[in-house]
Amino acid sequence: QICPVGAITSRLSMYEYRPWMLKRADTVCTYCGDGCRITIQTKDNQLIEVMSAQGAGRNNGDLCAKGFFGYHVSTHQDRLRHPLIRRDGVLVQATWEEALELVAETCVRLKLAQGPNVFAGLIGARCTNEDLYLFQKFMRLAIGTNHIDSSARYGQINGVRALRRVQGTHRWTVTFEDIVSADALLLVGTNITETNPITGLKVKEAVKKHGAALITVEALQPAVGTISNIANLSAHHFGVHPDRFQTVVLGLIKAVVEEGLVAQPLAQRAPAFVKATGDAVKALAWPAIETQTGTTSASLKDAARAFAKTAKAVILVGQGVLRQPGGSGLMTTLLDLLLLTGHHGLAGCGVAPLAEGNNDQGAVEMGAVTEYLPGPADLGDSAARQHIAKLWKEEVPQTPGRTLLEMLDEARTGTIKAMFIVGENPAGSLPPSAKANDALGKLDLLVCQELFLTETAALAHVVLPACSYAEKDGTFTNTEGHVQPVRHAIEPLGESRPDWEILSALSVLLGAPLEYGDAKEITNEIRSLLPGYGLLGAGPKPARPDNAVVSRYLQQGYAEDLKERYALSGSRFEVRGSGKEQTLTLLMQQSLFHSGKYSTRAKGLLQIQSTGSLAVNPADAGRLGIVDGNPVRLSTQQGQMTTTVKLLDRIPEGLAVFPEHFDQDLRRLLSVTADPHTGVPYCKTARVKIERV
């Protein structure tokens, strides 16, 4: 982009234009939670290229491969351009009037016959805040149910629950600038270079330019390769399997307690908390911790000292925690670590969960999850309900709603009869063992608003073509809680419409009109409902902990699950293979060049990575008798599939990693379990048998 003579040129756009021919629109990338500012350049309603400006946006002009080369997905030839209605078992093209009237008539009939709670709604976090807000308002007012969920349920909700429990805020208490200026950084389960590349640059800047002490707890090892490895920069690295992250964190807390690093102000403020956590970790034996983590007590004590004896400390928590069993509990324990070392509440310090989806934060804030109203406020919060009812001029339903997996269970049993699914694909995201197809196939009405005919949309009774981010206006909220404007670069393809506009039209036909002239009207309503929401400027002011909530947690809240959180990790999987054993722990992860399934329709990214392969450690490959490029068969009790092997030193022994973006066949091997507290579906790990084909 900054090559002074133009010798380095994007193959995707060269020779297609002259600069004065192009129109430009500043908007926000949709590929991860970092929320990078981008400039889309267009000609004749075609996307020509993506650029950025040095110093612009939260990314300061930096872009990753996904943001720079992945823009063609919005104008892909498979985009839905007309409404579809199922007739005689086949989806056929229809007019908007036919499609909307069919949906409205069916909804009215079902609602009159069986009430509003036979309906449920699911929305994707790639939608704008305006889409998300109007969706939950549509479900709660026009339909009358709290059966609402979003893709924030896949992991982000674990982080939000822990933050709200301990400090009363769902947002970070730090910013990107605080990461750069931190004295110590603790990364747990982030794989940050590939999942949140621009946040990863902030970490690298802190280490390389400011000498920050970096502590990493990751399911990878330091290794030189074609893709940067954050563990290479770590001063204190603990490469363990995902189900052992908790053990490392407990080892760090044990070291803090035993080395006398507990902050004296906290000991005076909350002696019971300090004693309870201290007693819990003292009961853990160092030999057991060393055996589970493959490290030494001395290493953990060194890392604990490096973290505790600094002025500014930041903890970044990734999908390796948030999307694994016990994610909310481990997030809470990391907040305990920050409390014990005296960093909690200090400017520039905090625990920051990294969002996977570009608008996971917005989904929670807009109330697009069943347990929260916009704010977010608890569904049972009477003051929040009164405030919202005053603005909406109608009462919010009181009946508790259902989470994603609960919706599918009730659809399977016939309790839920109709679903609205906007930009989400449970039939393609969840493994077959979740039986999403069976559940969706039993519905009397399935309405999908989508860009493409996904696995879920293919089951629908009505499919409504929606706009991509490049064709709509609104706002996104990035992982740090920064709200940024989204502006359309091209006109809607075919007859597609913005999601909020479709929902508004349906509400009118249902007799509960939610009418808006444009997205800005919805933005203004959100601002009037949520004080502090809005465009936060170049330097956003981070949230501050609620002292009353922190005190309540320190006095008694911590004790609710202390015993469970302060126990060594259970052996869900054997860590190391031995002898002629052919099994490894399979872990599904993101890659640098893709984000979900969305990016697999971007031609620029497919030229870099178009298929998935199984990454294993060379020592495991030698034991199994396989070499780089060999075809192998993976099998579990659920099923089997064949793929090729790639040897990587960065993968620890006993672990095998596969990119989740190409898991169409691999999903057959996985089972799914729901978190008993947060309802998060866990389906990213399995014990697999590997045989050379």
Side-chain angles (χ1 to χ4, degrees), residues 258-326:
E258 294 185 356
E259 295 295 298
L261 301 172
V262 175
Q264 281 307 114
L266 181 76
Q268 295 169 4
R269 178 186 180 186
F273 169 77
V274 172
K275 184 179 187 305
T277 52
D279 290 346
V281 291
K282 285 175 183 175
L284 306 176
W286 277 120
I289 293 174
E290 292 174 340
T291 299
Q292 281 204 9
T293 61
T295 188
T296 64
S297 60
S299 298
L300 288 164
K301 289 175 181 177
D302 287 344
R305 281 191 290 269
F307 183 82
K309 292 183 175 182
T310 54
K312 292 184 178 181
V314 175
I315 302 175
L316 296 176
V317 186
Q319 301 304 307
V321 172
L322 302 177
R323 298 180 72 173
Q324 294 291 340

Side-chain angles (χ1 to χ4, degrees), residues 41 76 320 341 364 477 508 511 548 596 604 617 625 656:
Q41 304 203 103
H76 193 278
T341 56
V364 174
T477 305
V508 173
N617 185 278

